[in-house]
Amino acid sequence: MGSRRLERALWCMWLWACAAPGCGRIGFDPSALEERDGGALDARTPSRDATTPEDATSPADAPTADAFVPLSPDAAILPDATTSCPAVCNDGCAGGTCRIVGDVLAAIVCPTGMPCQVRCVARQGCMTNVQCAGASSCEVLCEGDRSCFFGATCGSAPCTVQCLGTDSCGPIACADASSCSIDCPGPRSCGFGVQCGSNACSVTCSGVGSCSGGVFCDGSCACDAVCGASAACPGGSARVVCPSGCSTIDGCSATGVCDGC
């Protein structure tokens, strides 16, 4: 009897010692927990089958401020739209050229330091002297009939004037231009004379009755002046005055010894 009591006492002590920390409780069935939770595993314990995707991005791979790649030095730089086009350029500044439609403007003065194109489109368009002023180059297009009636004054840069309309272009002065090219294809265009300067000058009078005001390039280092068969020059009051020894039957020549530029 004593040995049985001792055996039962030892058995109870073992059961109590094992049940106290919760490890190996009698009757514990893990499947019962799974059934109670609907088969879900404890969220605090990752599944043995859980894997990390191979393409997962670690924090070290995340882009930082230093990862910004600036434009290369060769990348195109857009112009500053707020400063690149002066207000006088009422037709915009496409290609970096100040474009002016001067038909109804009281004054037409090209801005300094950039190419300038002035168009006089309407009949009697540009009722003021067109002034190329300090433009880096200047082009004046007198398209309408009787347009540019008050003429055009070139600056010191290369200058081109086209008198396309009937009776277009008043007096044209390019005395200061580094080079001057005047074209008078309109009927009776360039009727108030063309005055060249000391640099190279080219004048073409191809319109019927054109250049009745004459062409004066006697002080030019080289002058090409051509009067077409139906032009008002040379002859009569519509004379062409050339550098010494450079006159031709229909104007002036700028070849050979007549090219001193």
Side-chain angles (χ1 to χ4, degrees), residues 23-24 51 75 102 132 141 155-156 196 218 242-243 254:
C23 59
T51 58
C132 294
L141 303 174
S156 60
C196 296
D218 49 314
C242 307

Side-chain angles (χ1 to χ4, degrees), residues 5-209:
R5 287 180 180 176
L6 179 60
E7 183 178 349
R8 287 179 181 176
L10 292 174
W11 177 252
C12 289
M13 289 178 64
W14 180 85
L15 288 176
W16 180 85
C18 190
C23 59
R25 285 176 288 177
I26 298 175
F28 175 75
D29 184 1
S31 63
L33 179 60
E34 293 179 3
E35 290 176 0
R36 184 188 66 188
D37 295 337
L41 296 176
D42 187 345
R44 295 169 296 176
T45 306
S47 168
R48 293 177 58 188
D49 297 329
T51 58
T52 302
E54 294 179 357
D55 59 349
T57 303
S58 67
D61 296 328
T64 65
D66 294 336
F68 172 75
V69 179
L71 292 173
S72 69
D74 296 330
I77 300 176
L78 297 178
D80 183 353
T82 62
T83 60
S84 61
C85 195
V88 68
C89 310
N90 61 1
D91 196 30
C93 292
T97 297
C98 172
R99 301 179 188 276
I100 301 173
V101 176
D103 287 341
V104 297
L105 298 181
I108 303 172
V109 182
C110 290
T112 299
M114 66 186 302
C116 183
Q117 181 193 76
V118 180
R119 294 182 63 203
C120 304
V121 181
R123 185 178 188 276
Q124 296 186 340
C126 299
M127 295 294 286
T128 183
N129 181 264
V130 178
Q131 299 180 43
C132 294
S136 60
S137 66
C138 189
E139 179 182 21
V140 182
L141 303 174
C142 304
E143 303 172 27
D145 294 346
R146 298 180 66 83
S147 60
C148 305
F149 194 77
F150 289 87
T153 302
C154 297
S156 60
C159 184
T160 300
V161 181
Q162 296 188 47
C163 303
L164 307 173
T166 300
D167 296 313
S168 60
C169 291
I172 299 172
C174 54
D176 298 325
S178 59
S179 65
C180 192
S181 177
I182 312 299
D183 191 15
C184 307
R188 299 184 303 277
S189 60
C190 304
F192 293 87
V194 176
Q195 182 66 60
C196 296
S198 60
N199 295 312
C201 189
S202 173
V203 183
T204 302
C205 305
S206 57
V208 176

